[in-house]
Amino acid sequence: MQIVAADIGGTHARFALAEIDGGRVVDMAPPVVMKAVEHASLQTAWEAFADAVGHPLPRAAAIAVACPVQGEVLKLTNNPWIIRPALIGEKLGVDRFILCNDFTAVGHAVAHVGADALTHLCGPDVPLPATGVTSIVGPGTGLGVAQLVRGTGPYQVLPTEGGHIDFAPLDGIEDAILQRLRKRFRRVSVERIVAGPGLVDIHDALAALEGRTTAPADDKALWAAALAGEDSLAAAALDRFCLSLGSVAGDIALTQGANGLVIAGGLGLRLAAHLPKSGFRQRFVAKGRFEGMMAAIPVKLLTHPQPGLFGAAAAFAQEHGGS
């Protein structure tokens, strides 16, 4: 059967037609990407997608949204749209639909993609285990965390708020970063460090350590300079970011009892060339008496270009079996 997959974020709304068969996604058309601010609501963006397709849309949908999926009204982060789940069928003209959190969709994507969409980062260069827990950590605008649980029956994706655990510094430089952030926030979570905006705070903390006076940094420009190696302080901030990401990913895997871990999220792709040569692995396994266990965990990078769309469709396929 054919469905509409949608991935609604704070900045962009993505739509694509997907083919479901036998409980799996067998095909997905190229996505149509829109700026959320250019549309009044999900319904008007949906209608614009229908115009772009040029024919009536399927009456089934899988929609991933960048917010918790609970309550009668969904309010997205950095997106003014209001979504009322009870009215989706009427507003969008669908008979069947699922709603899921955007990072839950990423978890479903991990469960369905092939080995060609999972690049080896560190640990044993083997496939993700077919049973047990795979932790999924996704640095982007925020820090998404989920767990994929596989056994003899259908898999489960369990969303979590693991991106909001406390940041634990491991050396003097991270002590200074934490001290600086505590002046602005009552509580410093790991999302303050290992998400996109965190690079600016790391950069500013390193500048203060060296007694440098720096102009306010633009987030996008600083990431570009860091990844290109054009600025030594930006590059140092990026190295520190990767160290902290390794620590956090290891903590998540240890807490969830994982035997596999996947780095996802928009920043994961941007860091694809940098993570393997950074201190990520050393920090990932540095868990004291459990270093041997951590070293045995395969760590992969999700490289699918549209994990939110693909994962939303996969979630629909799992629930409805393609029928």
Side-chain angles (χ1 to χ4, degrees), residues 251-311:
D251 286 344
I252 295 296
L254 194 63
T255 302
Q256 294 184 348
N259 56 6
L261 184 131
V262 173
I263 297 294
L267 282 180
L269 280 177
R270 297 187 72 185
L271 290 169
H274 195 83
L275 280 176
K277 59 186 180 183
S278 73
F280 173 91
R281 180 188 180 279
Q282 286 74 17
R283 281 289 192 89
F284 180 81
V285 302
K287 303 301 176 187
R289 290 168 291 172
F290 292 91
E291 284 193 3
M293 185 182 78
M294 299 301 293
I297 295 176
V299 180
K300 309 292 184 181
L301 174 69
L302 179 63
T303 59
H304 192 285
Q306 295 292 340
L309 282 174
F310 182 81

Side-chain angles (χ1 to χ4, degrees), residues 17-175:
L17 297 177
E19 294 285 343
I20 306 297
D21 186 34
R24 299 196 67 82
V25 183
V26 296
D27 189 40
M28 178 170 286
V32 173
V33 182
M34 308 175 190
K35 290 185 177 179
V37 295
E38 295 178 355
H39 297 274
S41 67
L42 173 59
Q43 182 180 5
T44 61
W46 184 274
E47 291 168 352
F49 175 60
D51 290 341
V53 171
H55 57 73
L57 296 178
R59 296 188 65 86
I63 304 170
V65 291
C67 67
V69 180
Q70 56 189 27
E72 297 180 357
V73 179
L74 306 185
K75 296 182 179 179
L76 283 78
T77 305
N78 300 320
N79 183 330
W81 295 356
I82 299 296
I83 298 176
R84 294 177 172 83
L87 298 180
I88 283 180
E90 173 189 344
K91 298 291 186 181
L92 304 186
V94 294
D95 302 316
R96 287 189 295 176
F97 68 91
I98 64 163
L99 272 174
C100 63
N101 170 264
D102 58 343
F103 207 72
T104 300
V106 172
H108 283 278
V110 171
H112 281 249
V113 296
D116 58 336
L118 292 167
T119 298
H120 179 68
L121 279 182
C122 63
D125 190 1
V126 297
L128 291 173
T131 60
V133 174
T134 296
S135 294
I136 306 166
V137 179
T141 303
L143 182 66
V145 175
Q147 58 185 143
L148 168 63
V149 184
R150 289 189 271 207
T152 56
Y155 73 84
Q156 289 183 291
V157 177
L158 305 178
T160 80
E161 292 300 335
H164 298 284
I165 60 176
D166 292 320
F167 173 62
L170 295 179
D171 60 26
I173 291 178
E174 290 176 2
D175 285 338

Side-chain angles (χ1 to χ4, degrees), residues 163-255:
H164 298 284
I165 60 176
D166 292 320
F167 173 62
L170 295 179
D171 60 26
I173 291 178
E174 290 176 2
D175 285 338
I177 294 170
L178 178 60
Q179 184 177 20
R180 184 179 181 88
L181 287 174
R182 273 183 176 157
K183 295 177 182 179
R184 292 169 48 202
F185 306 108
R186 182 177 62 85
R187 175 178 174 272
V188 180
S189 69
V190 293
E191 187 176 74
R192 300 291 187 189
I193 310 296
V194 289
L199 190 69
V200 172
D201 289 311
I202 295 172
H203 176 268
D204 290 350
L206 296 181
L209 278 175
E210 296 192 352
R212 299 193 193 189
T213 301
T214 58
D218 174 75
D219 184 9
K220 292 182 179 180
L222 184 61
W223 270 103
L227 290 167
E230 297 172 350
D231 178 273
S232 59
L233 193 61
L238 178 59
D239 287 341
R240 182 59 54 172
F241 181 98
C242 293
L243 286 171
S244 294
L245 180 59
S247 296
V248 171
D251 286 344
I252 295 296
L254 194 63
T255 302

